[in-house]
């Protein structure tokens, strides 16, 4: 399969793009490019012009900021099917205030912001989905920062997992909620300002309490009301 056909297939199967007309998908196919970023590669730095939006086809990307004290603050760790660099849409012409780094070998689709803005104007439902994604991410970041300020380390981990389950979990045939997990314990630790060992301990305790079962790629919550 050629690279162009692979890219078109990706757009057709990417949730955000599924309802776009074929002509718009073809336009995306001809106006965007797939790029590879090796592990620890910086995709963009703070103060760079924000003129591109990125879709993750494969791998993981860490979005971070640097505090005034020079410490790294991780905003999000994103995986396949997610979008980032959306400040190119919301803050056109301004410079980025975060940096993006591939945390493993990654394949990205790079789209110019002008094209995304045209699609949003031509297809209100597409524009609504973009707006919803941006709003959802801002809400999640705000909730996590509030948790960092007011909660102890184990409560931060539990709150983070609960929020993920509520936002992304799916009910199975047994009435339980399943969460596909594309984050390692170390990832969760970085996002909650705790250690990997604390994350493992919290998950083990929740499992001992018969509230969850978990593996490397999935968490099953048996009763969210008791979480």
């Amino acid at each position: 399969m050629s690279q162009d056909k692979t890219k078109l297939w990706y757009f057709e199967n990417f949730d955000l793009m599924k309802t776009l007309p074929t002509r718009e998908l073809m336009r995306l196919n001809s106006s965007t490019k797939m790029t590879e970023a090796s592990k620890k590669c910086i995709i963009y730095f703070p103060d760079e012009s924000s003129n591109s939006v990125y879709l993750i086809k494969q791998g993981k990307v860490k979005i971070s900021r640097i505090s005034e004290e020079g410490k790294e603050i991780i905003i999000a760790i994103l995986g396949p099917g997610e979008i980032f660099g959306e400040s190119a849409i919301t803050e056109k012409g301004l410079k980025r205030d975060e940096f993006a780094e591939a945390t493993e070998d990654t394949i990205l689709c790079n789209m110019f912001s002008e094209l995304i803005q045209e699609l949003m104007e031509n297809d209100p439902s597409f524009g609504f989905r973009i707006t919803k994604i941006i709003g959802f991410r801002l809400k999640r970041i705000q909730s996590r920062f509030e948790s960092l300020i007011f909660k102890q380390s184990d409560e931060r981990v539990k709150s983070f997992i609960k929020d993920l389950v509520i936002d992304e979990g799916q009910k199975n045939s047994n009435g339980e909620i399943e969460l596909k997990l594309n984050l390692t314990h170390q990832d969760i630790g970085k996002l909650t300002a705790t250690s990997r060992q604390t994350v493992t301990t919290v998950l083990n305790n929740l499992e001992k309490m018969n509230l969850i079962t978990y593996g490397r790629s999935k968490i099953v919550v048996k009763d969210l009301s008791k979480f």
Side-chain angles (χ1 to χ4, degrees):
M1 185 180 290
S2 70
Q3 186 177 23
D4 281 347
K5 288 183 178 179
T6 301
K7 186 167 55 174
L8 181 58
W9 179 92
Y10 178 58
F11 288 140
E12 290 173 339
N13 288 274
F14 183 58
D15 285 344
L16 180 64
M17 308 293 186
K18 276 185 176 179
T19 60
L20 285 176
T22 301
R23 67 179 183 277
E24 299 290 18
L25 290 173
M26 295 298 294
R27 187 178 172 204
L28 276 171
N29 189 59
S30 61
S31 304
T32 60
K33 63 179 181 178
M34 291 289 186
T35 58
E36 296 182 2
S38 57
K39 184 177 180 179
K40 295 188 177 181
C41 173
I42 302 298
I43 299 160
Y44 58 72
F45 289 93
D47 294 329
E48 285 188 10
S49 297
S50 54
N51 55 12
S52 293
V53 180
Y54 300 85
L55 302 178
I56 304 174
K57 180 180 181 183
Q58 177 182 311
K60 289 183 184 179
V61 173
K62 176 178 66 175
I63 310 298
S64 303
R65 291 180 183 173
I66 301 298
S67 71
E68 292 182 358
E69 296 77 24
K71 293 183 178 180
E72 179 185 12
I73 301 172
I74 298 178
I75 298 171
I77 297 177
L78 308 174
E82 296 193 88
I83 186 172
F84 68 97
E86 63 272 13
S87 61
I89 303 170
T90 60
E91 301 174 4
K92 185 178 179 182
L94 298 180
K95 294 183 177 181
R96 300 192 190 274
D97 58 4
E98 81 278 355
F99 67 88
E101 176 186 350
T103 61
E104 58 185 57
D105 291 345
T106 299
I107 299 177
L108 303 169
C109 179
N110 184 349
M111 304 180 294
F112 287 113
S113 58
E114 288 84 357
L115 175 58
I116 297 298
Q117 288 169 333
E118 284 184 31
L119 291 175
M120 292 173 68
E121 292 171 2
N122 296 337
D123 187 336
S125 63
F126 176 75
F128 174 76
R129 290 195 298 278
I130 288 284
T131 303
K132 188 175 179 180
I133 287 172
I134 294 171
F136 172 73
R137 183 165 301 159
L138 289 174
K139 181 180 177 182
R140 180 186 285 181
I141 291 170
Q142 182 181 11
S143 175
R144 186 158 55 83
F145 281 178
E146 288 175 354
S147 178
L148 292 177
I149 295 171
F150 298 113
K151 295 180 180 178
Q152 299 296 319
S153 59
D154 58 337
E155 289 298 323
R156 293 201 297 268
V157 175
K158 287 169 66 176
S159 293
F160 178 80
I161 293 170
K162 184 177 181 179
D163 288 344
L164 274 183
V165 170
I166 291 172
D167 294 334
E168 301 179 14
Q170 300 288 332
K171 275 194 174 181
N172 62 23
S173 57
N174 297 322
E176 302 167 329
I177 304 178
E178 294 187 6
L179 172 69
K180 292 182 180 178
L181 196 64
N182 65 355
L183 300 171
T184 65
H185 291 191
Q186 186 171 6
D187 291 337
I188 296 173
K190 289 180 178 179
L191 287 163
T192 56
T194 60
S195 67
R196 178 181 58 81
Q197 292 83 355
T198 298
V199 175
T200 302
T201 298
V202 170
L203 290 173
N204 286 341
N205 288 339
L206 290 171
E207 192 164 47
K208 287 176 183 177
M209 296 166 64
N210 202 33
L211 295 179
I212 69 168
T213 59
Y214 78 95
R216 297 183 68 179
S217 60
K218 183 171 68 174
I219 292 176
V220 178
V221 177
K222 298 183 178 183
D223 188 345
L224 190 60
S225 66
K226 297 179 180 178
F227 198 83

